[in-house]
Amino acid sequence: MLNALFMVGLQILYTVGATGLAIYGLQALTLTLLKLREERLQKQENLRTHRHCELGTPLNSVYWPPVTVQLPIFNEVHVVGRLIDACAKLEYPSDRLQIHVLDDSIDGTTAIAERRAAFWHKRGVDVQVLHRSKRQGFKAGALKEGLTVATGEFIAVFDADFVPPPDFLNRTIPSFLRESGKDIGFVQTRWTHLNGEYSALTRAQALALDGHFVVEQAARHAVGLSFGFNGSAGVWRKACIEDPAVGGWQDDTLCEDLDLSYRAQLAGWRGDYLDDVEAPAELPPQLLAFKRQQFRWAKGSVATLRKLATSVWQGGWPTLKRTAAYVHLGGYLIHPLLLVLLLVSPLLMLSGSQPYLPLAYLSLVSIGPPALYALAQQRLHKRDWLRRWAHLPLLMLLGMGLSLSNSVAAWQAVFGKGGAFLRTPKFRVEESSDLWHRSGYALELEPIVAAELFLALYAGIGCFIAFIHGQWLNLPFLALYACGYALVAVFGVYETWMARASRMRMGGRPAKPFRPKDLVKY
């Protein structure tokens, strides 16, 4: 009896995991088809040219609204100078532009920021460094405090690793000033990559982000679904943030950007996505840094789902829009589902049971993510899209390998466990000759690597079980698990060894968190 109940439980867990993967694949396929449909409609109605003229041209209005640029930073000696210089070169009337460096740093970053601010202040650019001695509320807290002294009608936000183009404000502010833009609360632009070709890791990340911005964000915006502010390279209407129905910046999730943008849309404000405005940024060149970034995003998005689930249900949105919002906010829940499938599959095979919903049946919807990434690369890189898309297998392995770490993040979010805002270190790695592992910001290996190695071994045993039982359809999935966990664990060990070897070559002294080129003339 107990054995039968145990097997039924395994079957239920397997079915839940497989169904979740199907929903994820179906979402990707649906967004891909919506993107293609929107492109076809725009072409038929000649809307592409109209959109470009309306959204992509510089601001010609005689009224230039005051803008505050907020730069929330924490320990960013490598990139803070580059960021301030780029923002100081924004093409906007100097008497209407205010740049606030919201600095929570506890290392040499503050000194660099103050020197660059003084440099540009002498040249007529209003750059101020607002340093906090306590990191209360982390990034959300810095943005909230900065808003109290911001004089701009609109608030542009850039993270430390971004290099906004000079015409950024000229191409984003018009969205708010059009007659149809009075209810637009925020504008999001498309991220591009300063170091997308640096390594196989950054190419895989570029593939993922391109799919998100070119297809997912564009499709959601085009059909009127809710979408998120990505935390950087965007502009907010100050009145929207301060709207009592919205509630301003809040620090009870690690995705304050996603949280605020959903609360704004629930309060009746709209978001605008500008696919033709690019904002270059640096991708994490260290796997452990990328892993930390994904952990924070996973925990923050699931916490936002937990926080806003009731509000979305009661927000008066149509059923389709509500459903899409839940799937969007719960996107990182795919990782616990992946983990469940791995743990359950070998046990089912050992018992000789056939799953109620074999993974092979998901083949139709599983083409969704590859199609989404392929479409994004075709639209961005017509000549060599296939070469870039060829990094999809590595992206899949990373997704499998990070499923344990991201499952821990989701677990903490579901049960309301707080935690510090662990920044993703930036190294100013732009060329192949730039070496991140010499930086004091390089991350060290964490104990979770032992569990990842165990899961790699467990998946390998699952492959053997699938082979001897003739479960050929399960074999490729289990092999992906084994390779993914092995890749993340072994490469993490290798990166830690590289960083420590660099310190040994320096005589055992800790590596300094800067390089000479970061401080030239500062």
Coordinates of all heavy atoms in Angstrom, one line a residue, residues 353-386:
S353 N 8.0 1.9 -13.8 CA 6.8 2.7 -14.1 C 7.0 3.6 -15.3 O 8.1 4.1 -15.5 CB 6.4 3.5 -12.9 OG 6.2 2.7 -11.8
Q354 N 6.0 3.7 -16.1 CA 5.9 4.7 -17.2 C 5.3 6.0 -16.7 O 4.2 6.0 -16.2 CB 5.2 4.1 -18.4 CG 5.8 2.9 -19.1 CD 7.1 3.3 -19.7 OE1 7.3 4.4 -20.2 NE2 8.1 2.4 -19.8
P355 N 5.9 7.1 -17.0 CA 5.3 8.4 -16.5 C 4.0 8.6 -17.2 O 3.8 8.2 -18.3 CB 6.4 9.4 -17.0 CG 7.6 8.7 -17.2 CD 7.2 7.3 -17.6
Y356 N 3.1 9.3 -16.5 CA 1.8 9.7 -17.0 C 2.0 10.6 -18.2 O 1.2 10.6 -19.2 CB 0.9 10.4 -16.0 CG 0.5 9.5 -14.8 CD1 0.3 10.0 -13.6 CD2 0.4 8.1 -15.0 CE1 -0.1 9.3 -12.5 CE2 0.1 7.3 -13.9 CZ -0.2 7.9 -12.7 OH -0.6 7.1 -11.6
L357 N 3.0 11.5 -18.1 CA 3.2 12.5 -19.2 C 4.7 12.4 -19.6 O 5.5 13.2 -19.1 CB 2.8 13.9 -18.7 CG 2.9 15.0 -19.7 CD1 2.0 14.8 -20.9 CD2 2.6 16.4 -19.0
P358 N 5.1 11.5 -20.5 CA 6.5 11.4 -20.8 C 7.0 12.7 -21.4 O 6.3 13.4 -22.1 CB 6.5 10.3 -21.9 CG 5.3 9.5 -21.6 CD 4.3 10.5 -21.1
L359 N 8.3 13.1 -21.2 CA 8.9 14.3 -21.7 C 8.9 14.3 -23.2 O 8.9 15.4 -23.8 CB 10.3 14.5 -21.2 CG 10.5 14.8 -19.7 CD1 11.9 14.9 -19.3 CD2 9.8 16.2 -19.4
A360 N 8.9 13.2 -23.8 CA 8.9 13.1 -25.3 C 7.6 13.8 -25.9 O 7.7 14.3 -27.0 CB 8.9 11.7 -25.8
Y361 N 6.5 13.7 -25.1 CA 5.3 14.3 -25.6 C 5.4 15.9 -25.6 O 4.5 16.5 -26.2 CB 4.1 13.9 -24.7 CG 3.7 12.5 -24.8 CD1 2.8 11.9 -24.0 CD2 4.3 11.7 -25.8 CE1 2.5 10.5 -24.1 CE2 4.0 10.3 -25.9 CZ 3.1 9.8 -25.0 OH 2.8 8.4 -25.1
L362 N 6.4 16.4 -25.0 CA 6.5 17.9 -24.9 C 7.3 18.4 -26.1 O 7.6 19.6 -26.1 CB 7.2 18.3 -23.6 CG 6.6 17.8 -22.3 CD1 7.4 18.3 -21.1 CD2 5.2 18.3 -22.2
S363 N 7.6 17.6 -27.1 CA 8.5 18.0 -28.2 C 7.9 19.2 -29.0 O 8.7 20.0 -29.5 CB 8.8 16.8 -29.1 OG 7.5 16.3 -29.6
L364 N 6.6 19.2 -29.1 CA 6.0 20.3 -29.9 C 6.2 21.7 -29.2 O 6.6 22.6 -29.9 CB 4.5 20.0 -30.1 CG 4.2 18.9 -31.0 CD1 2.7 18.7 -31.1 CD2 4.7 19.1 -32.4
V365 N 5.9 21.8 -27.9 CA 6.1 23.0 -27.3 C 7.6 23.3 -26.9 O 7.9 24.5 -26.7 CB 5.3 23.1 -26.0 CG1 3.8 23.1 -26.3 CG2 5.6 22.0 -25.0
S366 N 8.4 22.3 -26.9 CA 9.8 22.5 -26.6 C 10.6 23.2 -27.7 O 11.7 23.7 -27.5 CB 10.5 21.2 -26.3 OG 10.6 20.4 -27.5
I367 N 10.0 23.4 -28.9 CA 10.6 24.2 -29.9 C 10.5 25.7 -29.6 O 11.1 26.5 -30.3 CB 10.0 23.8 -31.3 CG1 8.6 24.3 -31.4 CG2 10.2 22.3 -31.6 CD1 8.0 24.2 -32.8
G368 N 9.7 26.0 -28.6 CA 9.4 27.4 -28.4 C 10.7 28.2 -28.0 O 11.0 29.2 -28.7
P369 N 11.5 27.8 -27.0 CA 12.7 28.6 -26.7 C 13.7 28.6 -27.8 O 14.2 29.7 -28.1 CB 13.2 27.9 -25.5 CG 12.0 27.3 -24.8 CD 11.2 26.8 -26.0
P370 N 14.0 27.5 -28.5 CA 15.0 27.7 -29.6 C 14.5 28.6 -30.7 O 15.2 29.4 -31.3 CB 15.1 26.2 -30.1 CG 14.7 25.4 -29.0 CD 13.7 26.1 -28.2
A371 N 13.2 28.5 -31.0 CA 12.6 29.4 -32.1 C 12.7 30.9 -31.6 O 13.0 31.7 -32.4 CB 11.1 29.0 -32.3
L372 N 12.4 31.1 -30.3 CA 12.5 32.5 -29.8 C 13.9 33.1 -30.0 O 14.1 34.2 -30.5 CB 12.0 32.5 -28.4 CG 11.9 33.8 -27.6 CD1 10.8 33.7 -26.6 CD2 13.2 34.2 -27.0
Y373 N 14.9 32.3 -29.6 CA 16.3 32.8 -29.7 C 16.7 32.9 -31.1 O 17.5 33.8 -31.5 CB 17.2 31.9 -28.9 CG 16.9 31.8 -27.4 CD1 16.8 30.6 -26.8 CD2 16.8 33.0 -26.7 CE1 16.5 30.5 -25.4 CE2 16.5 32.9 -25.3 CZ 16.4 31.7 -24.7 OH 16.1 31.7 -23.4
A374 N 16.3 32.0 -32.0 CA 16.6 32.1 -33.4 C 16.0 33.4 -34.0 O 16.7 34.1 -34.8 CB 16.1 30.9 -34.1
L375 N 14.8 33.7 -33.7 CA 14.1 34.8 -34.3 C 14.8 36.1 -33.8 O 15.1 37.0 -34.6 CB 12.7 34.9 -33.8 CG 11.9 36.1 -34.3 CD1 11.8 36.2 -35.9 CD2 10.4 36.1 -33.8
A376 N 15.2 36.2 -32.6 CA 15.9 37.3 -32.0 C 17.2 37.6 -32.8 O 17.6 38.7 -33.2 CB 16.2 37.2 -30.5
Q377 N 18.0 36.5 -33.0 CA 19.3 36.6 -33.7 C 19.1 37.0 -35.2 O 19.9 37.8 -35.7 CB 20.1 35.3 -33.6 CG 20.5 35.0 -32.1 CD 21.2 36.2 -31.5 OE1 22.2 36.7 -32.0 NE2 20.7 36.6 -30.3
Q378 N 18.1 36.5 -35.8 CA 17.8 36.8 -37.2 C 17.5 38.3 -37.3 O 17.9 38.9 -38.3 CB 16.6 36.0 -37.7 CG 17.0 34.5 -38.0 CD 15.8 33.7 -38.5 OE1 14.6 34.0 -38.1 NE2 16.0 32.7 -39.3
R379 N 16.8 38.8 -36.4 CA 16.4 40.2 -36.4 C 17.6 41.2 -36.1 O 17.7 42.3 -36.7 CB 15.2 40.6 -35.5 CG 13.9 39.8 -35.8 CD 13.4 40.2 -37.2 NE 12.2 39.6 -37.5 CZ 12.1 38.5 -38.2 NH1 13.3 37.9 -38.7 NH2 11.0 37.9 -38.5
L380 N 18.5 40.7 -35.3 CA 19.6 41.6 -34.9 C 20.8 41.4 -35.8 O 21.6 42.3 -36.1 CB 20.0 41.3 -33.5 CG 19.0 41.7 -32.4 CD1 19.5 41.2 -31.0 CD2 18.8 43.2 -32.4
H381 N 21.1 40.1 -36.2 CA 22.3 39.8 -36.9 C 22.0 39.0 -38.2 O 22.1 37.7 -38.1 CB 23.3 39.1 -36.0 CG 23.5 39.7 -34.7 ND1 24.3 40.9 -34.5 CD2 23.0 39.4 -33.5 CE1 24.3 41.2 -33.2 NE2 23.5 40.4 -32.6
K382 N 21.5 39.6 -39.2 CA 21.1 38.8 -40.4 C 22.2 38.0 -41.0 O 21.9 36.9 -41.6 CB 20.4 39.8 -41.4 CG 19.2 40.5 -40.9 CD 18.6 41.3 -42.0 CE 17.3 42.1 -41.4 NZ 16.3 41.2 -40.9
R383 N 23.4 38.5 -41.0 CA 24.4 37.8 -41.7 C 25.0 36.6 -40.9 O 25.4 35.6 -41.6 CB 25.6 38.8 -42.0 CG 25.2 39.8 -43.0 CD 26.4 40.7 -43.4 NE 26.0 41.7 -44.4 CZ 26.9 42.6 -44.9 NH1 28.1 42.6 -44.4 NH2 26.5 43.5 -45.8
D384 N 25.1 36.7 -39.6 CA 25.8 35.6 -38.9 C 24.9 35.1 -37.7 O 25.4 34.7 -36.7 CB 27.1 36.0 -38.4 CG 27.1 37.2 -37.4 OD1 26.0 37.8 -37.3 OD2 28.1 37.3 -36.6
W385 N 23.6 35.2 -37.9 CA 22.7 34.8 -36.8 C 22.9 33.4 -36.4 O 22.8 33.0 -35.2 CB 21.2 35.1 -37.2 CG 20.7 34.1 -38.2 CD1 20.7 34.3 -39.5 CD2 20.0 32.9 -37.9 NE1 20.1 33.2 -40.2 CE2 19.7 32.4 -39.2 CE3 19.7 32.2 -36.8 CZ2 19.0 31.1 -39.3 CZ3 19.1 31.0 -36.9 CH2 18.7 30.4 -38.1
L386 N 23.2 32.5 -37.4 CA 23.3 31.1 -37.1 C 24.5 30.8 -36.2 O 24.4 29.9 -35.3 CB 23.4 30.3 -38.4 CG 23.3 28.8 -38.3 CD1 22.0 28.4 -37.6 CD2 23.4 28.1 -39.6

